[in-house]
Amino acid sequence: MARVVVVGGGISGLALAFRLEQLAGSLQVTVLEKRPRLGGTIGTEVQAGFRFEIGPNGFLDNQLSTWNLCGDLGLSDRLIPASEIARRHRFLYLRGQLRKLPTGLFSLLTSRTLSWRSKWALLTERFRKPRRQGGDESVDAFARRRTSDEIAETLADAFVTGIHAADPALLSVRAAFPRLAELEAEYGSVTGGLVKAARKRRQQARARGEPVRRGLRTWSFREGLGLLIDTLRARLRGPVLTGVGVRRLEPGGEDAAWLVRGEGQECWPADAVVLACPGHEQSAILADLDSQLAATVAEIPYNRVAVVVLGY
Ligand SMILES: Cc1cc2nc3c(=O)[nH]c(=O)nc-3n(C[C@H](O)[C@H](O)[C@H](O)COP(=O)(O)OP(=O)(O)OC[C@H]3O[C@@H](n4cnc5c(N)ncnc54)[C@H](O)[C@@H]3O)c2cc1C
């Protein structure tokens, strides 16, 4: 029986282990997680009668992988969309005040979040010449080129921080927001493209006799995203070990291609190993095996993020 060791019990490691067991029932899949609990950045807690998330609070339905995973775990009928009210009332802490984010044309025009120069830049974005050639660019450069410096520094920065917790000047627009780059390439502008793409979607849905969907929605469970982690854990057949920090990966001998070494004397022989932990952890695990690869992986920048939850 081939053995796979997955290092990291966050959503990536657990979902991969589940899919491997599902697709190749003969595999023995072992998940090793450093912390005492599974889930990585995902975690739902209840305190003083409030249920809150310590990390992500939902997932968007633009990528079907999480949606399908929920279906395969039998959780489809427990999914609930984020409240429309919450979606329409988002605020940005700017210039010492909470400022409401515009959600449409009227609120954009009356909003005090942006200067008139930036409002004009946004309204006329569809008339800016598209970039027809050249490679990838950062989210920050894209926002400056398509709109204004102010929009790049406030709105784009807030969205990037909110979604990826990353520096927009370092993040590739094609990797992080491929839709934006596609809209510019296909329709010549982002705002014009959004309108045309929505019109096309409506026409196609009507032609198929399907209900017209309004924009993207964020989904979670009444029990919180922790339900996804608990269900994955319950469905995995192979061992899932917590409190096991992997320290090193070594080439194996005759019996196994790899030896996965834990903190103490523990060792797991494996025919394949998946590192589903952060880049800096992967780098430490790979250091003795391939110093060049370890150095490359170590270059992936990570940010520190603090989540503050208010219950009232
Ligand atoms: C505050 C915040 C909010 C977010 N909000 C959203 C959102 O609303 N929607 C959304 O889609 N995404 C959101 N994200 C992103 C999303 O949470 C992550 O993309 C996703 O959870 C990453 O999962 P992962 O399994 O790849 O990594 P992680 O969750 O980081 O899991 C990696 C696991 O590896 C373990 N590990 C590390 N080193 C070792 C080792 N040496 N040996 C064994 N195990 C090890 C860690 O303990 C951890 O459990 C948010 C992220 C943050 C931080």
Side-chain angles (χ1 to χ4, degrees), residues 23 40 80 106 126 158 182 186 201 237-238 250 254 292 296:
L23 296 171
I80 50 169
F106 180 73
R126 62 169 63 195
E182 283 162 18
E186 196 177 337
R201 262 202 321 273
R237 292 191 300 270
E250 294 170 5
E254 271 175 27
Q292 209 177 340
T296 306

Side-chain angles (χ1 to χ4, degrees), residues 181-248:
E182 283 162 18
L183 284 169
E184 184 188 29
E186 196 177 337
Y187 298 100
S189 95
V190 176
T191 48
L194 281 172
V195 174
K196 286 180 193 157
R199 196 181 302 143
K200 200 162 136 188
R201 262 202 321 273
R202 280 198 298 273
Q203 284 167 351
Q204 286 171 343
R206 279 196 204 103
R208 288 195 300 263
E210 292 171 1
V212 179
R213 276 176 34 150
R214 293 182 57 229
L216 296 176
R217 299 198 80 173
T218 303
W219 296 80
S220 182
F221 308 95
R222 201 162 294 286
E223 300 86 340
L225 279 184
L227 179 68
L228 187 55
I229 301 299
D230 295 343
T231 311
L232 275 166
R233 169 70 191 93
R235 291 288 297 274
L236 287 175
R237 292 191 300 270
V240 178
L241 308 177
T242 51
V244 175
V246 170
R247 204 164 35 90
R248 226 170 52 229

Side-chain angles (χ1 to χ4, degrees), residues 6-14 32-35 37-42 54-60 162-165 218 225 244-247 263 276-278 281-282 285 302 305-307:
V6 177
V7 180
I11 186 69
S12 304
L14 294 175
L32 304 177
E33 166 54 47
K34 185 175 177 173
R35 288 190 248 179
R37 65 160 192 89
L38 295 169
T41 49
I42 296 179
I54 59 166
N57 48 31
F59 64 90
L60 283 172
I163 296 171
H164 294 285
T218 303
L225 279 184
V244 175
V246 170
R247 204 164 35 90
E263 298 282 353
C277 52
E281 291 280 348
Q282 295 189 21
I285 293 169
Y302 277 76
V305 180
V307 177

Side-chain angles (χ1 to χ4, degrees), residues 91-100 112-113:
F91 295 84
L92 202 59
Y93 185 70
L94 201 62
R95 299 187 291 276
Q97 266 186 36
L98 279 180
R99 292 170 197 268
K100 196 159 182 230
R112 300 177 76 178
T113 311

Side-chain angles (χ1 to χ4, degrees), residues 28-307:
Q28 195 202 43
V29 185
T30 302
V31 178
L32 304 177
E33 166 54 47
K34 185 175 177 173
R35 288 190 248 179
R37 65 160 192 89
L38 295 169
T41 49
I42 296 179
T44 308
E45 293 194 6
V46 179
Q47 267 181 42
F50 292 101
R51 180 178 288 125
F52 58 91
E53 303 285 1
I54 59 166
N57 48 31
F59 64 90
L60 283 172
D61 51 13
N62 57 343
Q63 300 286 336
L64 285 180
S65 48
T66 316
W67 190 261
N68 291 341
L69 178 67
C70 293
D72 291 348
L73 289 168
L75 295 174
S76 292
D77 55 354
R78 293 168 79 171
L79 280 166
I80 50 169
S83 104
E84 266 300 293
I85 295 174
R87 198 177 69 83
R88 274 192 264 121
H89 299 278
R90 293 190 173 201
F91 295 84
L92 202 59
Y93 185 70
L94 201 62
R95 299 187 291 276
Q97 266 186 36
L98 279 180
R99 292 170 197 268
K100 196 159 182 230
L101 282 176
T103 50
L105 186 61
F106 180 73
S107 58
L108 170 71
L109 291 175
T110 53
S111 157
R112 300 177 76 178
T113 311
L114 295 174
S115 66
W116 275 105
R117 185 187 285 261
S118 286
K119 288 177 190 174
W120 181 248
L122 212 50
L123 290 172
T124 55
E125 188 270 340
R126 62 169 63 195
F127 304 114
R128 290 199 180 203
K129 273 210 179 113
R131 197 170 75 146
R132 291 289 179 206
Q133 53 208 13
D136 198 4
E137 64 189 321
S138 71
V139 179
D140 180 73
F142 183 88
R144 284 179 201 273
R145 185 168 60 73
R146 295 300 314 167
T147 56
S148 71
D149 288 350
E150 186 195 13
I151 288 178
E153 285 156 22
T154 53
L155 291 191
D157 184 75
F159 280 118
V160 169
T161 307
I163 296 171
H164 294 285
D167 180 348
L170 295 178
L171 213 59
S172 135
V173 72
R174 286 198 189 159
F177 296 97
R179 187 79 184 117
L180 295 183
E182 283 162 18
L183 284 169
E184 184 188 29
E186 196 177 337
Y187 298 100
S189 95
V190 176
T191 48
L194 281 172
V195 174
K196 286 180 193 157
R199 196 181 302 143
K200 200 162 136 188
R201 262 202 321 273
R202 280 198 298 273
Q203 284 167 351
Q204 286 171 343
R206 279 196 204 103
R208 288 195 300 263
E210 292 171 1
V212 179
R213 276 176 34 150
R214 293 182 57 229
L216 296 176
R217 299 198 80 173
T218 303
W219 296 80
S220 182
F221 308 95
R222 201 162 294 286
E223 300 86 340
L225 279 184
L227 179 68
L228 187 55
I229 301 299
D230 295 343
T231 311
L232 275 166
R233 169 70 191 93
R235 291 288 297 274
L236 287 175
R237 292 191 300 270
V240 178
L241 308 177
T242 51
V244 175
V246 170
R247 204 164 35 90
R248 226 170 52 229
L249 187 59
E250 294 170 5
E254 271 175 27
D255 179 42
W258 303 102
L259 293 177
V260 182
R261 296 246 174 233
E263 298 282 353
Q265 294 304 310
E266 300 149 308
C267 175
W268 288 265
D271 300 294
V273 179
V274 181
L275 299 182
C277 52
H280 44 89
E281 291 280 348
Q282 295 189 21
S283 171
I285 293 169
L286 293 167
D288 293 341
L289 186 71
D290 185 335
S291 56
Q292 209 177 340
L293 178 60
T296 306
V297 177
E299 281 173 19
I300 300 171
Y302 277 76
N303 268 357
R304 285 183 169 277
V305 180
V307 177

